[in-house]
Amino acid sequence: MSGAVQAQDAPPPPRPDNLQAPATSQDANPEAEDEDAPAPEAGPEAPVEEAVGPVDEAPAEPDLPPAPLTMGLAGPYLAARIAVVENDFIVAARYFKQAIAHDPGDPFLQDSALVSMISAGQMDGALELAQQMTSDGKDGTELAGLVLRAHYAQAEDWDGLLAEIARNNSEGAEGGPQGNNLLDGMLAAWAKLGAGNATEALADFAAMAKVPGAAGMLDYQLAMARALAGDYEGANELLSRDGADSHLMGVLARAQVLAQLDRRDEALALLDGVPAGASEPQVVDLRNRLDAGEDVTFDVVKSPRDGIAQVFLTFATALASSPEPEPLALIHARLASWVAPELGEARLVTAQILQMHQQYDLAEAEFEALRRLGQVRPVAELSRIDSLSRAERFDEAEKAALALTAAQPDLPQAWIAQGDLLRQQDKFSAAVPAYDKALSLIPEDQGDQRWFPLYARGIALERSGQFDRAEADLKAALEIRPDQPSLLNYLGYSWIDRGENLDEALKLIQKAVELSPDDGYIQDSLAWAYFRLGRYQDAVEPMELAARSMSADPLVNDHLGDVYWMVGRKREAEVQWRRALSLKPTETEDDVDPERIKAKLERGLDAVMAEEGAGPSHAPVTPTTAENGTATQSE
């Protein structure tokens, strides 16, 4: 994905039926090559020809209710720390600023406030605080210095930026600012180019490229600098190296460079090789201009300021690519957007990191900025739909999904997103045609692209009472992904619940447990399979494991009560049923009927089951999101 951040651990919507394939998954990513590939280096968006309006920075602190009474320093500090744990950056910034008022010189409080303010997009306030921290000759902190660097770059004050780098590296590694500090080295090289010292700037980039592991990143930066300086031959040589044009912005940059060298045929061939390029507006626009013989300029980087924004974005993408993204990933993404507000890729990366932190309203502000830029890429809209749905802003999400399918009717991921959104709202029958359309657009031989919509449609069909079609889809998906735990679990329990293929069904669920032993929902399914088969003693251990990991789930507690009852532990069963009731379950949201639990407490499970004439049913747990082609369970 071009500059896009993987959203591995973004929590799913609340119920197990809300299968959802986010825009950052393998299946929704027309540029991804394999599900385990690291996030590529980020490059800038193409320039905007007609923006709808000015692109402002993220909104300042909104109107909040009056702060609770807090005495002295401890109150606001503790409130800020709680907000940090919850990733509520706006509230954290508010309380850290209150704490600083009680202890103005504490660098820890100042740095914590900076982190929260930048994360919330409050860049003016962050700059003011950073300037206070470094006033009157004070050293400040590394983060304060980073904010000042970005400020000088935004203002194109190259002398100020070089002085700030020199000040912070005066006692650093041998060799000056470059030393072992790649970030400062790249910032300094771009500043030198901005100050008119192109020869030294290019030499600095070339020297840094020799740092082990930095060649790919530096080749791209040096190529951008050479192209900006008019050395298109040198830029093309660098971009032709392995990996230098492996992301979308690198491809666009090289195509523009080839156009400057009057090698349009090569540029067209390069663009034709972009996976799903027909759904990338920037690729289509550049290709059309090249094909029509129109003038094409190099404008992927228009100034050293853009180059510096790219540096911050590259670090943000690298820091965000791990399963547990570094907090500095969001800081660098925010700084990239601040230095170059028109850099759409930075807005997208910022939004996706905010999604990881469940800050969906802040993410929507970044998606809205992208729309005002006139840079509505499918990957951005898919992420936006996902963000809106997770924030339960369903009306807006549906409008966005309908707009995307209308604008990109041949993009299967758009139809998958629409189907996921309908399923999240329990509109199972309505979701089926969306998945039908998606599957009609994906060739039969592209199994990695087909398994998820097959799985999703299968669940939609099963939940809307069309089991024969559902079974066929689930089997087809399982042929593609035979080791997908959630898929094994769903098909296995569907059979168990219907009393069909019992031996094979149990084997599927047991395999799912082997593949994902820590998944409480799959343990719950195994226990409930044993229960439905009358193997009550076998059900105890997996049911207890499920309850241990999901103690706040009313369905799991209800099931544990049933299992305990059937093995004669009736007092413990009643405790679990009362706990399930204390969690205030609803039949719609939790698949738990509170009246049935009350009846079990009054008359016992045996009597209730005898009255019903059948054992209790349990809908198989379904995943809510597919990350890199791997479904995850809802919580």
Side-chain angles (χ1 to χ4, degrees):
M1 178 184 312
S2 172
V5 177
Q6 305 289 350
Q8 288 93 336
D9 299 312
R15 290 312 308 156
D17 304 318
N18 304 334
L19 181 76
Q20 193 168 7
T24 52
S25 72
Q26 156 86 10
D27 300 325
N29 178 6
E31 296 173 37
E33 294 182 358
D34 67 79
E35 62 188 62
D36 296 319
E41 295 173 6
E45 293 282 1
V48 180
E49 294 182 1
E50 291 184 16
V52 175
V55 180
D56 304 318
E57 68 174 42
E61 180 178 327
D63 292 335
L64 295 172
L69 181 62
T70 52
M71 305 302 292
L73 172 61
Y77 173 72
L78 292 175
R81 292 299 303 162
I82 292 172
V84 167
V85 170
E86 296 175 348
N87 294 318
D88 193 338
F89 305 123
I90 291 176
V91 171
R94 177 187 186 188
Y95 283 118
F96 274 126
K97 285 185 281 187
Q98 289 184 15
I100 289 173
H102 290 281
D103 191 353
D106 189 314
F108 174 79
L109 291 178
Q110 292 172 327
D111 241 20
S112 298
L114 271 184
V115 169
S116 298
M117 293 166 73
I118 298 170
S119 298
Q122 300 172 9
M123 302 308 298
D124 290 342
L127 174 60
E128 182 179 356
L129 178 57
Q131 290 171 331
Q132 292 174 3
M133 293 167 67
T134 56
S135 63
D136 301 325
K138 290 181 286 191
D139 291 336
T141 63
E142 289 185 16
L143 182 54
L146 196 62
V147 172
L148 292 179
R149 289 165 173 74
H151 166 61
Y152 288 125
Q154 181 195 52
E156 298 187 328
D157 181 354
W158 310 123
D159 291 339
L161 175 53
L162 288 168
E164 176 64 24
I165 293 172
R167 182 179 73 83
N168 281 273
N169 286 274
S170 59
E171 298 179 0
E174 183 180 353
Q178 284 79 358
N180 294 317
N181 190 333
L182 281 177
L183 176 64
D184 270 353
M186 285 189 280
L187 296 182
W190 279 113
K192 290 175 183 178
L193 189 62
N197 193 347
T199 300
E200 188 174 349
L202 296 176
D204 285 352
F205 275 125
M208 284 184 287
K210 297 175 183 178
V211 175
M217 176 172 59
L218 268 300
D219 281 348
Y220 180 76
Q221 294 289 327
L222 180 55
M224 297 301 97
R226 286 192 179 279
L228 190 61
D231 180 6
Y232 298 116
E233 288 286 1
N236 182 56
E237 193 277 327
L238 289 163
L239 289 172
S240 65
R241 295 178 180 176
D242 290 342
D245 63 353
S246 61
H247 52 84
L248 180 61
M249 291 301 102
V251 171
L252 293 172
R254 190 178 177 206
Q256 289 185 357
V257 165
L258 287 169
Q260 312 314 304
L261 298 171
D262 200 23
R263 295 160 63 177
R264 288 178 175 247
D265 289 345
E266 293 179 54
L268 287 168
L270 182 66
L271 295 175
D272 287 341
V274 175
S279 64
E280 286 289 352
Q282 295 160 282
V283 173
V284 172
D285 176 68
L286 180 55
R287 198 197 185 288
N288 289 342
R289 286 189 288 134
L290 286 167
D291 200 34
E294 297 178 11
D295 288 338
V296 173
T297 59
F298 177 80
D299 53 15
V300 169
V301 170
K302 293 174 285 187
S303 71
R305 179 173 61 89
D306 289 344
I308 285 176
Q310 276 199 77
V311 171
F312 283 124
L313 182 56
T314 298
F315 275 79
T317 304
L319 290 166
S321 63
S322 61
E324 296 184 5
E326 293 283 341
L328 280 174
L330 180 56
I331 300 295
H332 284 82
R334 286 289 199 191
L335 292 176
S337 294
W338 189 40
V339 170
E342 70 285 355
L343 181 55
E345 199 77 7
R347 298 282 185 176
L348 176 57
V349 171
T350 301
Q352 291 179 320
I353 297 174
L354 287 165
Q355 284 179 288
M356 295 183 207
H357 293 301
Q358 303 179 61
Q359 294 300 299
Y360 303 118
D361 289 338
L362 286 175
E364 176 60 11
E366 297 305 306
F367 287 124
E368 183 58 31
L370 270 173
R371 297 177 67 82
R372 292 200 304 270
L373 279 168
Q375 295 274 332
V376 182
R377 291 173 52 197
V379 66
E381 282 301 281
L382 288 166
S383 286
R384 178 171 179 256
I385 292 165
D386 179 54
S387 182
L388 288 168
S389 65
R390 291 177 187 273
E392 298 186 359
R393 295 165 62 170
F394 297 120
D395 289 344
E396 295 172 73
E398 285 195 37
K399 289 178 183 177
L402 289 170
L404 183 58
T405 54
Q408 300 282 342
D410 295 328
L411 183 67
Q413 289 78 22
W415 296 101
I416 293 171
Q418 187 177 99
D420 293 342
L421 183 60
L422 291 168
R423 289 199 70 262
Q424 187 174 352
Q425 299 172 79
D426 294 343
K427 300 176 182 178
F428 304 114
S429 296
V432 172
Y435 294 126
D436 288 343
K437 179 66 174 178
L439 286 162
S440 73
L441 294 169
I442 305 173
E444 293 283 345
D445 60 354
Q446 294 186 11
D448 279 348
Q449 296 294 317
R450 289 181 62 83
W451 85 269
F452 187 82
L454 279 168
Y455 181 23
R457 187 175 68 180
I459 296 170
L461 288 165
E462 188 271 335
R463 297 309 294 270
S464 57
Q466 304 178 63
F467 185 73
D468 288 344
R469 285 189 64 196
E471 184 180 41
D473 275 355
L474 294 170
K475 285 182 175 179
L478 197 58
E479 288 181 5
I480 300 169
R481 288 290 180 93
D483 294 326
Q484 216 297 320
S486 297
L487 179 53
L488 291 161
N489 178 50
Y490 200 96
L491 178 57
Y493 197 87
S494 295
W495 281 336
I496 290 284
D497 203 41
R498 295 172 62 85
E500 301 174 1
N501 305 319
L502 299 184
D503 290 339
E504 185 178 357
L506 184 58
K507 288 177 182 177
L508 292 182
I509 298 174
Q510 288 171 332
K511 183 178 179 181
V513 170
E514 291 174 5
L515 292 166
S516 188
D518 297 327
D519 191 313
Y521 284 104
I522 296 179
Q523 290 284 357
D524 173 67
S525 286
L526 176 62
W528 208 238
Y530 284 138
F531 186 96
R532 296 300 300 274
L533 292 169
R535 295 170 58 177
Y536 304 120
Q537 194 62 51
D538 290 336
V540 173
E541 182 180 356
M543 200 70 252
E544 288 178 337
L545 287 172
R548 197 172 298 140
S549 64
M550 299 182 298
S551 59
D553 189 301
L555 182 64
V556 172
N557 283 281
D558 183 31
H559 286 171
L560 182 56
D562 289 1
V563 170
Y564 280 158
W565 181 275
M566 299 306 289
V567 296
R569 297 163 63 176
K570 296 186 177 181
R571 185 179 297 277
E572 291 170 274
E574 292 172 354
V575 170
Q576 293 303 137
W577 289 333
R578 287 193 177 92
R579 174 162 177 75
L581 280 178
S582 74
L583 297 169
K584 303 186 185 307
T586 66
E587 192 166 4
T588 301
E589 293 185 1
D590 303 295
D591 289 328
V592 176
D593 181 0
E595 296 304 317
R596 188 174 186 277
I597 297 178
K598 293 175 184 177
K600 288 188 288 187
L601 285 167
E602 291 173 0
R603 301 189 297 278
L605 178 59
D606 299 324
V608 171
M609 291 176 67
E611 292 165 5
E612 294 172 342
S617 64
H618 165 44
V621 175
T622 70
T624 60
T625 170
E627 305 295 352
N628 296 323
T630 303
T632 59
Q633 295 292 320
S634 68
E635 298 185 5

